[in-house]
Amino acid sequence: MSVQREMEETIYYGDPAATSGISVFDQDFDEMFSYGGDDLGLTYTSACSAFCLWAPTAQEAEVVLYDTWQQTGGRRLPMIREVRGTWRLTVPGDLEGKFYTYRVRIEERWNEAVDPYARAVGVNGDRAAIVDLRKTDPERWTKDKPPLANAVDAVIYELHLRDLSIHPASGIANKGQFLGLAEEGTRGPGGILSGLDHIADLGVTHVQLLPVYDYATESVDETRLDQPHYNWGYDPKNYNVPEGSYATDPYLPGLRITELKTMIQALHDRGLRVIMDVVYNHVYDGYRVNFTKLVPGYYLRYKRDGGLSNGSGCGNDTASERAMMSRFIVDSVLYWTREYHMDGFRFDLMGLLDIDTMAEIRRRLDEIDPSLLTIGEGWIMETELAGERLANQSNADALPGIGHFNDGFRDAVKGNIFRYGEPGFIGGKSGLEQAVKTGITGGVVYGQTTGQFADEPQQCVNYVECHDNHTLWDKIVLSSAGASDKHRRAMHRLASAMVLTSQGIPFLHAGQEFMRTKDGVENSYKSPAEINWLDWERCASHTDDVAYMKKLIALRRAHSAFRLRSAEEIREKLFFEKAPAGAIAYTLRGHAGGDSALHLYVVCNANPDGASLMLPPLGEWEPLLGGELASSGADGRLTVRGLGMVVQAVQA
């Protein structure tokens, strides 16, 4: 019988009352039992190991010690009940290399579970492992970070770790692994840069990694990595442990920790910060997760009929509003920050989490380093918590310093993601100019007709492509029947240029620079690697498009006018100019952002036949981008030939 199956057979799913008679659903439960100590989980030294478990509804609790990850019948050691629902046990001697679980008795049933605070686990994460974390630090392990003065200076590059290296022509030895992203000097077809060298050469500032915490065995079985496997990883199992399938050996608990740290250090050494995609809004299975085994009914939201709330669409929603769930989320974020030197966090379905928890995360991160980024999906979603308490776009004013993905800008630029054949601004659909302008101004209130959710531009993440939904290229193909590839490439370039010249935080999807395709697959979360991989042969055939993306990133980083720090400055310095339908023009004036005494003029033209505009009479304009598309006459008229972006500059 497998370890996992053995555990499943002992789970009790009821809603037990605590010893005091107070149910986990009573309002007084948190007041009576919430615990504020900093010793939850395992505190290891070579002299002893101290275990602290929060399980107020248990009548008995035990630590079960195992010599191996698959051993049956471990040594059971009773814990002692202490204050506010905690149980404790200190075991003398050096337990390094052992494995452990907790057993709790709830009424007449025993449940066995992994420590929610586990920092290391065995293969497939069914047992916590006891390791000396200091021995997991790589030889070079520094706290130094690449500089970042303001969130809007970031250029984020979203990447699935396996996608980067698994292609046969990636030139990367450690395919699909943490160490693959740490390799330098790798080359793809025709000698193009690949892997880390390619990312660093683009000029982005942050690599955002799809989940790298330990996720469910049902998604990827770490004992069967020799067989085809793939998953994005949005099904958390052990929140504070790296995923074993990305390690060179998932059977060695400390190795995955060392290799992830090695990767992070390699990125830092190349001037790249690291953002971790975290999924605290739901768990992989609401009935089998360690939370439910240890304190049934507490950590998840429930509907009035007793069923699990399911705003996530994944079967459950976590009850982040409850003290010890909120505490766990905050502790987890801080652990990744301190132990792994993470530089930021992207919160999956952030709109399901509560405002207080997200505000506390931001407050605690500010105490460590205000430059650490916090962004998330602030979608407005239905869940069993009042709307005014949710961390979504409509409540952004209560979440300063937290960025929200701008889906309004995304859909206006490329077309609605759920109506596949519907084009957006770049595809010639009329009437979208105003919606596009709300993204150009960073989502802030700009005027009576322009404004979204953001109080400040740091709260707006502009993008047109991410791991979800169709890639930009595939969406363009679906919504531009009969168009040539040349025209589609122009549309793609324009969309990317609009992201990188808009106020707020720009976000790119890995492969967007070479017009990535997933062969039309809309939701590739478990599609074969051949659908998801970064196709380095396609990259080699799109070197001019890669060069264009590099130019866009360099343009943004060279001119602070594209990175204005405040809503007030945006309203003072950004002026929309007269433009024909299907085109948007604006200037950034008056030394915007202290930008080397320049005025900038930007034209986003979606008219395939071109456009004619009058340049503001501010001096002799010179091209910065798109010079091959534009010419100006003595009368100050700018002619844009075909679809694309033109940026011009003049001395102020």
Side-chain angles (χ1 to χ4, degrees):
M1 180 182 295
S2 70
V3 173
Q4 182 176 349
R5 183 61 183 159
E6 182 183 345
M7 290 179 176
E8 289 175 15
E9 290 188 350
T10 65
I11 300 168
Y12 176 70
Y13 300 127
D15 171 28
T19 317
S20 63
I22 297 178
S23 166
V24 296
F25 297 113
D26 288 348
Q27 290 184 344
D28 293 337
F29 188 85
D30 275 340
E31 184 176 340
M32 178 171 289
F33 290 112
S34 61
Y35 176 67
D38 61 0
D39 56 352
L40 288 170
L42 167 65
T43 302
Y44 163 83
T45 69
S46 59
C48 66
S49 293
F51 300 87
C52 181
L53 166 69
W54 186 77
T57 61
Q59 281 77 50
E60 295 180 77
E62 299 174 338
V63 172
V64 187
L65 288 177
Y66 297 93
D67 292 326
T68 66
W69 68 271
Q70 78 272 44
Q71 176 194 355
T72 58
R75 182 160 59 111
R76 297 176 180 176
L77 304 173
M79 305 183 80
I80 298 172
R81 183 190 293 275
E82 288 203 2
V83 298
R84 304 192 70 81
T86 59
W87 297 82
R88 296 182 187 277
L89 173 67
T90 298
V91 180
D94 192 348
L95 297 184
E96 184 179 8
K98 304 290 187 184
F99 297 82
Y100 75 97
T101 59
Y102 291 128
R103 279 183 94 234
V104 295
R105 181 174 68 83
I106 300 171
E107 295 183 348
E108 301 306 316
R109 299 293 299 272
W110 285 89
N111 294 341
E112 187 171 358
V114 179
D115 183 355
Y117 277 81
R119 296 175 175 181
V121 295
V123 68
N124 278 335
D126 290 329
R127 286 177 182 158
I130 301 176
V131 302
D132 183 344
L133 282 170
R134 296 292 59 81
K135 292 181 180 179
T136 69
D137 293 343
E139 184 176 347
R140 174 169 168 75
W141 185 231
T142 74
K143 293 184 178 180
D144 298 335
K145 297 178 181 293
L148 183 73
N150 192 283
V152 298
D153 294 337
V155 179
I156 300 172
Y157 187 83
E158 183 195 39
L159 174 70
H160 184 281
L161 194 68
R162 189 168 168 79
D163 292 356
L164 176 79
S165 53
I166 200 66
H167 190 276
S170 70
I172 297 171
N174 294 284
K175 294 189 184 301
Q177 297 172 346
F178 293 125
L179 295 183
L181 181 51
E183 289 183 37
E184 296 186 282
T186 62
R187 298 294 180 266
I192 63 167
L193 302 179
S194 67
L196 176 57
D197 286 2
H198 170 83
I199 297 171
D201 187 61
L202 282 175
V204 299
T205 66
H206 289 68
V207 174
Q208 178 177 303
L209 296 171
L210 267 69
V212 293
Y213 54 69
D214 184 55
Y215 49 81
T217 310
E218 289 82 354
S219 297
V220 174
D221 186 340
E222 296 171 8
T223 68
R224 304 174 69 185
L225 297 180
D226 57 332
Q227 300 182 18
H229 61 278
Y230 186 89
N231 203 280
W232 283 345
Y234 290 93
D235 45 4
K237 185 170 183 177
N238 294 292
Y239 277 103
N240 296 330
V241 185
E243 164 61 19
S245 66
Y246 296 139
T248 55
D249 189 343
Y251 292 88
L252 300 177
L255 186 63
R256 63 179 76 183
I257 300 173
T258 299
E259 291 180 348
L260 175 54
K261 290 177 177 178
T262 299
M263 183 203 77
I264 292 169
Q265 185 67 55
L267 288 164
H268 284 174
D269 288 345
R270 294 296 297 272
L272 294 161
R273 288 188 168 214
V274 185
I275 297 173
M276 183 179 182
D277 193 335
V278 287
V279 188
Y280 296 112
N281 66 85
H282 72 276
V283 297
Y284 79 99
D285 187 309
Y287 298 103
R288 291 187 294 153
V289 70
N290 47 19
F291 293 131
T292 300
K293 295 174 185 179
L294 295 169
V295 192
Y298 179 80
Y299 287 99
L300 304 178
R301 291 182 187 141
Y302 291 82
K303 297 183 289 187
R304 290 183 180 276
D305 64 6
L308 287 167
S309 176
N310 188 25
S312 68
C314 299
N316 61 86
D317 303 334
T318 58
S320 67
E321 67 279 8
R322 294 181 181 161
M324 294 305 287
M325 185 74 245
S326 179
R327 160 79 187 278
F328 177 84
I329 294 170
V330 174
D331 284 350
S332 179
V333 169
L334 296 177
Y335 174 68
W336 285 103
T337 302
R338 291 168 174 150
E339 183 66 31
Y340 289 87
H341 303 170
M342 288 292 182
D343 307 294
F345 298 88
R346 177 266 190 191
F347 292 87
D348 182 69
L349 301 186
M350 184 175 70
L352 292 175
L353 301 176
D354 69 289
I355 289 171
D356 290 344
T357 296
M358 288 305 305
E360 178 66 5
I361 289 170
R362 186 64 262 174
R363 184 186 73 81
R364 297 291 296 277
L365 290 177
D366 281 342
E367 291 177 349
I368 298 172
D369 181 354
S371 73
L372 300 173
L373 289 186
T374 46
I375 61 175
E377 293 181 302
W379 315 140
I380 299 170
M381 309 175 75
E382 292 295 326
T383 185
E384 296 299 308
L385 187 66
E388 64 270 17
R389 298 182 65 186
L390 295 172
N392 58 33
Q393 288 180 359
S394 62
N395 297 321
D397 59 340
L399 296 164
I402 297 176
H404 298 251
F405 284 88
N406 192 339
D407 54 331
F409 178 74
R410 175 200 66 197
D411 286 358
V413 171
K414 73 173 184 178
N416 188 286
I417 60 169
F418 300 115
R419 297 192 287 272
Y420 302 160
E422 180 180 300
F425 174 80
I426 60 170
K429 185 177 180 181
S430 62
L432 292 173
E433 290 84 355
Q434 196 61 42
V436 171
K437 289 178 181 179
T438 63
I440 289 173
T441 54
V444 305
V445 174
Y446 178 81
Q448 289 185 335
T449 59
T450 304
Q452 288 176 287
F453 50 81
D455 287 339
E456 298 293 344
Q458 293 82 359
Q459 292 181 288
C460 177
V461 180
N462 280 325
Y463 73 116
V464 288
E465 175 179 338
C466 68
H467 69 276
D468 277 325
N469 311 110
H470 291 107
T471 67
L472 175 59
W473 178 261
D474 289 347
K475 168 64 177 177
I476 288 172
V477 169
L478 288 167
S479 59
S480 62
S484 67
D485 271 6
K486 180 180 179 181
H487 181 65
R488 288 169 173 165
R489 287 174 73 177
M491 293 166 63
H492 196 290
R493 285 191 178 195
L494 176 58
S496 296
M498 292 168 72
V499 168
L500 285 161
T501 53
S502 292
Q503 304 299 320
I505 303 172
F507 175 101
L508 305 172
H509 182 219
Q512 186 175 333
E513 66 274 20
F514 53 81
M515 304 186 178
R516 181 177 182 174
T517 177
K518 294 184 181 179
D519 295 337
V521 176
E522 188 264 348
N523 184 11
S524 67
Y525 77 100
K526 62 176 182 179
S527 296
E530 292 78 4
I531 294 294
N532 284 290
W533 64 28
L534 290 188
D535 185 345
W536 293 104
E537 292 176 349
R538 185 175 178 89
C539 182
S541 68
H542 284 260
T543 54
D544 54 342
D545 295 309
V546 175
Y548 183 74
M549 186 70 82
K550 284 178 59 177
K551 189 171 185 178
L552 289 173
I553 295 169
L555 178 72
R556 180 181 184 86
R557 296 188 67 176
H559 295 281
S560 56
F562 295 120
R563 300 176 276 115
L564 299 178
R565 297 326 203 213
S566 69
E568 181 180 5
E569 195 174 13
I570 291 169
R571 288 188 285 266
E572 289 178 354
K573 306 296 186 182
L574 193 154
F575 296 87
F576 286 104
E577 309 288 351
K578 187 175 181 180
I584 296 171
Y586 61 93
T587 50
L588 292 158
R589 300 194 186 192
H591 312 285
D595 200 7
S596 303
L598 291 177
H599 298 307
L600 299 179
Y601 179 76
V602 182
V603 179
C604 312
N605 177 49
N607 295 295
D609 297 329
S612 178
L613 308 96
M614 290 300 298
L615 286 163
L618 299 173
E620 194 71 26
W621 292 94
E622 298 291 338
L624 288 180
L625 180 78
E628 72 282 1
L629 295 176
S631 59
S632 54
D635 60 351
R637 184 168 295 278
L638 180 73
T639 301
V640 180
R641 297 181 295 276
L643 186 150
M645 175 174 283
V646 174
V647 180
Q648 301 223 335
V650 66
Q651 290 292 323

